[in-house]
Amino acid sequence: QDNRVSIWSVGDLGNGGLGGEYQGEPQLLCDIRHNGDVMDMQFLDQERIVVASSTGTVTVFRYHQNNQTLSANQRWEKAHYHVDQNTSCGGAACTGVICNNPEIVTVGEDGRINLFRADQKDAVRTIDNADSSTLHAVTFLRTTEILTVNSIGQLKIWDLRQQRNESSQIFSLTGDRVPLHCVDRHPNQQHIVATGGQDGMLSIWDIRQDTMPVSLLNAHEAEMWEVHFHPSNPDHLFTCSEDGSLWHWDTSTDISEKPSFLHQGGRSTTYFSHSTINQSVVSAWLSNDPTKDRMEITNLIPNQTLSVNSLDILGPCLVYGTDAEAIYVNRQLFA
């Protein structure tokens, strides 16, 4: 009923104790009330956070480090709406936001795409009927191109330089129309994209080629809510799900070279076949000769039962939030 956006300090990564673990409790630095459910949020820069609301409003909050407060810096009321912007109950949930400072792209349940600039009051561009179904997530492919996923299993590429309101390319999962909930682009190879959806499957796409995914990997037993390549180490990918699991997918090395202690100590490890044709040219994510190499998967929270709704990673640090109303920080991702 009463939602807030909060800034926490989880301590300095550099000042860990033995083994890098953090000494001390996370601290709440400041928070601010938020109207509606927080559907998504992204840092625009060091001090601004863009927040998507279930009311359809998009707000930019500014974090003031000098006096530890948050204030609403800019607000686009009902950026997403069903009937018309002016009716009191017409808002449609804004489901996803992505930033490439100063640009902000939002998508929503109304099938609309908005392009905002942080310093401008009006939308720079709105594609009103971008999709007839709900758009669940969006990511930048490059500075002028975005990729959206929708509730009938489609990926669409949009060129923001083009004035026409049609996507430049459409990809889809074969005939199943399984809703896709999340998408992430490989940080170094823009043509590699990962998506996850209602059936818990992880799909890897090469958007230069076919309109179907390169590989479909059995993953979670319920909806996949979030998928992220590691920003600086993209051989590692992370997914989380309604089924309470958070998986670490590792394509970085041949399993046979790894020390055997990985297979003990209660870590559930599954192998999926994939291969490397030439690691320097072809990413391990796109290979399909099952004989050469394998992928290691570890469930990072084996005993969790409640949905893991969101995750993010930076360096050795993984943060995730669950339906237990708790935020967890794992600082030893590659320990």
Side-chain angles (χ1 to χ4, degrees), residues 69-91:
T69 56
L70 274 166
S71 65
N73 184 237
Q74 182 146 4
R75 187 173 275 132
W76 293 285
E77 295 281 349
K78 292 210 187 131
H80 295 274
Y81 55 91
H82 281 307
V83 192
D84 95 70
Q85 236 165 338
N86 307 321
T87 51
S88 59
C89 58

Side-chain angles (χ1 to χ4, degrees), residues 96-249:
V97 55
I98 192 83
C99 303
N100 186 12
N101 194 7
E103 300 193 315
I104 299 162
V105 174
T106 69
V107 296
E109 268 180 14
D110 53 357
R112 199 173 260 106
I113 298 173
N114 291 305
L115 171 62
F116 296 109
R117 270 209 190 89
D119 46 7
Q120 291 183 20
K121 221 170 74 204
D122 295 320
V124 178
R125 173 97 194 271
T126 294
I127 305 177
D128 269 330
N129 299 315
D131 213 303
S132 55
S133 59
T134 296
L135 289 169
H136 282 141
V138 58
T139 190
F140 273 101
L141 283 181
R142 41 185 73 81
T143 47
T144 56
E145 273 190 327
I146 57 167
L147 183 83
T148 58
V149 295
N150 69 14
S151 60
I152 54 171
Q154 293 173 323
L155 279 78
K156 295 185 182 179
I157 297 178
W158 305 83
D159 186 336
L160 296 172
R161 290 165 305 187
Q162 303 245 343
Q163 282 315 304
R164 56 197 192 98
N165 289 347
E166 275 106 51
S167 55
S168 51
Q169 258 178 301
I170 298 181
F171 303 83
S172 61
L173 294 166
T174 48
D176 295 343
R177 298 198 156 210
V178 175
L180 290 171
H181 290 300
C182 53
V183 58
D184 196 29
R185 188 204 82 200
H186 191 289
N188 318 335
Q189 303 186 46
Q190 269 105 332
H191 56 277
I192 301 176
V193 170
T195 64
Q198 187 136 343
D199 55 1
M201 297 277 273
L202 172 65
S203 309
I204 307 290
W205 310 70
D206 180 346
I207 56 171
R208 296 168 308 186
Q209 314 173 350
D210 209 6
T211 55
M212 308 218 327
V214 177
S215 55
L216 284 167
L217 299 165
N218 268 317
H220 303 279
E221 289 164 20
E223 292 91 341
M224 185 189 294
W225 292 129
E226 194 109 58
V227 57
H228 274 300
F229 286 100
H230 191 289
S232 53
N233 201 342
D235 286 342
H236 298 266
L237 177 97
F238 299 84
T239 59
C240 66
S241 165
E242 181 71 30
D243 67 9
S245 59
L246 194 163
W247 285 17
H248 173 185
W249 307 70

Side-chain angles (χ1 to χ4, degrees), residues 226-228 238-240 246 309-313 318-321:
E226 194 109 58
V227 57
H228 274 300
F238 299 84
T239 59
C240 66
L246 194 163
N309 301 320
S310 188
L311 72 92
D312 207 356
I313 35 219
L318 166 78
V319 181
Y320 59 95

Side-chain angles (χ1 to χ4, degrees), residues 46-60:
Q46 289 291 319
E47 45 199 37
R48 287 180 296 176
I49 306 143
V50 184
V51 182
S53 170
S54 58
T55 64
T57 295
V58 177
T59 310
V60 182

